[in-house]
Amino acid sequence: MSLDERAPAVATTVSPPVPARRQSPGPAKAVVVIAPLALTIALGLWGIRRQNTIWGDESVTYQLAHRDLSQIWHTAQHIDLVHSLYYAVMHQPGSTA
């Protein structure tokens, strides 16, 4: 058989595959998200209402931020330089304790 006698090739169009429909998340997945979220909110609100909940490092930062720069410099001679730079940045001008 010669090449001229063969039938022309039929071009077939291929349609793109239809994406599979994603199943909606079940109740187990909702619990995995909602339970930690609810626990975090509950513990956070409980902690807000308690007395003396400020942590030690936050308390020190608050106290030093309200001091004069000279007092921060005096304190810096007893602590790490990195901390004293942090306290100087946190310093609020015009606020006195």
Side-chain angles (χ1 to χ4, degrees):
M1 181 177 352
S2 71
L3 290 177
D4 294 331
E5 294 175 1
R6 287 193 335 189
V10 179
T12 59
T13 59
V14 178
S15 61
V18 177
R21 185 166 184 186
R22 215 166 76 180
Q23 295 179 356
S24 62
K29 287 189 179 184
V31 169
V32 168
V33 173
I34 292 173
L37 178 66
L39 180 65
T40 301
I41 290 171
L43 289 175
L45 291 174
W46 174 67
I48 287 172
R49 297 181 60 216
R50 292 186 338 194
Q51 296 293 327
N52 301 325
T53 59
I54 195 164
W55 294 340
D57 57 345
E58 294 166 337
S59 176
V60 170
T61 300
Y62 178 81
Q63 291 172 5
L64 283 172
H66 287 86
R67 293 184 184 180
D68 293 331
L69 287 176
S70 62
Q71 292 173 327
I72 294 174
W73 176 251
H74 178 71
T75 305
Q77 298 179 21
H78 303 285
I79 60 170
D80 191 13
L81 181 62
V82 173
H83 295 111
S84 59
L85 291 175
Y86 172 73
Y87 297 138
V89 168
M90 294 299 293
H91 173 70
Q92 297 174 358
S95 64
T96 56

